[in-house]
Amino acid sequence: MTLLFVSAVDDAEDWARELAAHRPDIRFRVWPDVGDPAAVRYALAWRPPVEALAGLPNLQAIFSLGAGIDGLADVPEALPPGVPVVRMVEEGLSSGMAEYVAWQVLDWHRGGPLYRAQQQAGEWRRRRSKLASERRVGILGLGVLGQSAARMLRGLGFPVAGWSRTPKAVDGVDCRHGSEGLRAMVPASDILVNLLPLTPQTEGLIDAGLLAALPQGAVLINAARGRHVVEADLLAALDRGHLAGASLDVFASEPLAADHPFWRHPKITLTPHVAALTLPRTAAPAVVAQIARIERGEAPLHVVDASRGY
Ligand code: NAP
Ligand code: GLV
């Protein structure tokens, strides 16, 4: 039985080694070296070329190498119909995202950008800081990663609200849903964290209207997808002083163009799409567990629902 690896950006050697440690019986092949197409039962993929997953008559599941499935959904014709697409849910991604969000929230909360600027200027100036309990954080998206981030922020003492499509109950989190929930949560978010999937409903959600509804001096942290944010609207909100700053890990076009205004904007903290990376060491056991479910005749977990788009 073969697992076909299809990715131009992930490390095939790492994956081969980690999967073999758990399931030495699975033959690991790297596209385009498919071998016998009839032996391929599983694909582990990110942005597969259109032809990569075609002509595999016994393909049982396509595992996305990322939590977001836009790396697969961007080219729907590359996905053989009827084969489940499974999102990546694994400890490395969940912990990594919670760490990134906590890092950025704490940095803005404690005045990191201000003190770094003061250091550059050789300025000794002490500023009064709020307590975490006085800084409200709102999270757009209360799924696997949103909940992981919410738990860590709660542990640090921040009041946390979260927004999802359907109603949720998460311990210690003020859960909101639907358009009314969004309208209530945004004006009460001193720091707004985006962890939504990219779908036709969420693309461009963070626009001038939503940004204007944030409290004066709020901060945006976008760790989901660049196309959630209308970039010109964000720049305008920063430049007119309504927003105090933004941490951006993702961009409408990546890598970010060398002349993009985000690079040198004084109110933007920028990272190159590293908030949470799928780590073969922690992700291989998750993939192996999904394969075991399929072998037992059970449906895999975290299957993408094409009708909702995530
Ligand atoms: P997930 O478990 O599928 O959670 C998605 C959440 O968004 C759910 O709570 C869902 O609501 C909510 N949602 C979806 N559509 C909505 C809508 N129209 N209105 C309101 N809420 C909506 O996804 P995840 O694993 O947490 O991942 C989230 C995203 O993070 C990924 O899609 C990816 O884009 C991004 N990501 C970024 C990085 C990075 O390094 N920057 C790494 C990994 C992932 P329900 O709960 O009601 O379904
Ligand atoms: C990374 O952005 C992912 O979706 O896993």
Side-chain angles (χ1 to χ4, degrees):
M1 178 254 284
T2 297
L3 178 146
L4 182 65
F5 183 88
V6 192
S7 170
V9 291
D10 296 88
D11 189 325
E13 267 179 39
D14 269 8
W15 271 101
R17 191 183 54 250
E18 295 296 342
L19 284 171
H22 297 274
R23 283 291 300 262
D25 59 309
I26 297 178
R27 181 169 303 176
F28 184 90
R29 284 188 174 270
V30 181
W31 190 82
D33 177 24
V34 177
D36 174 8
V40 177
R41 295 284 154 80
Y42 308 106
L44 184 56
W46 189 252
R47 299 197 194 291
V50 173
E51 65 277 23
L53 303 179
L56 305 173
N58 297 314
L59 190 63
Q60 286 179 273
I62 300 165
F63 300 112
S64 167
L65 276 155
I69 54 106
D70 41 308
L72 295 171
D74 268 2
V75 196
E77 59 279 19
L79 303 179
V83 180
V85 175
V86 180
R87 291 181 337 97
M88 184 60 76
V89 174
E90 61 98 8
E91 184 49 34
L93 271 175
S94 302
S95 300
M97 186 56 85
E99 287 171 15
Y100 170 85
V101 171
W103 169 36
Q104 295 307 318
V105 166
L106 280 173
D107 195 44
W108 286 106
H109 169 63
R110 291 306 304 258
L114 279 175
Y115 287 121
R116 284 191 289 277
Q118 283 187 201
Q119 183 180 352
Q120 287 300 312
E123 185 186 359
W124 181 273
R125 182 169 163 207
R126 301 160 91 185
R127 295 167 189 268
R128 199 170 295 137
S129 181
K130 286 185 176 183
L131 292 174
S133 58
E134 298 167 310
R135 187 92 62 186
R136 303 160 298 173
V137 183
I139 303 180
L140 300 171
L142 259 190
V144 174
L145 301 182
Q147 290 190 32
S148 176
R151 276 192 297 276
M152 191 168 286
L153 294 173
R154 287 294 302 138
L156 291 168
F158 292 96
V160 178
W163 183 64
S164 51
R165 192 176 53 85
T166 56
K168 289 258 159 323
V170 181
D171 216 20
V173 177
D174 178 12
C175 295
R176 308 284 180 147
H177 69 280
S179 44
E180 229 168 80
L182 184 66
R183 268 198 301 280
M185 189 181 86
V186 170
S189 298
D190 302 312
I191 299 182
L192 186 71
V193 179
N194 178 32
L195 285 173
L196 287 166
L198 187 65
T199 67
Q201 290 72 40
T202 63
E203 180 160 5
L205 180 85
I206 302 172
D207 62 2
L210 185 145
L211 294 169
L214 283 165
Q216 169 71 35
V219 166
L220 173 71
I221 297 176
N222 186 18
R225 287 294 182 261
R227 277 155 53 197
H228 285 127
V229 176
V230 179
E231 292 187 344
D233 292 359
L234 173 60
L235 283 170
L238 289 166
D239 290 342
R240 73 184 162 89
H242 182 63
L243 289 194
S247 292
L248 305 177
D249 183 60
V250 286
F251 306 91
S253 173
E254 296 179 6
L256 192 62
D259 60 350
H260 198 290
F262 284 170
W263 276 113
R264 282 164 200 86
H265 197 288
K267 290 184 172 175
I268 290 179
T269 297
L270 191 153
T271 45
H273 201 146
V274 289
L277 302 176
T278 301
L279 305 176
R281 186 177 58 74
T282 46
V287 171
V288 163
Q290 294 273 39
I291 290 176
R293 287 182 67 91
I294 296 169
E295 288 173 340
R296 289 196 300 270
E298 297 167 23
L301 303 170
H302 315 301
V303 173
V304 174
D305 177 342
S307 65
R308 7 169 259 196
Y310 68 99

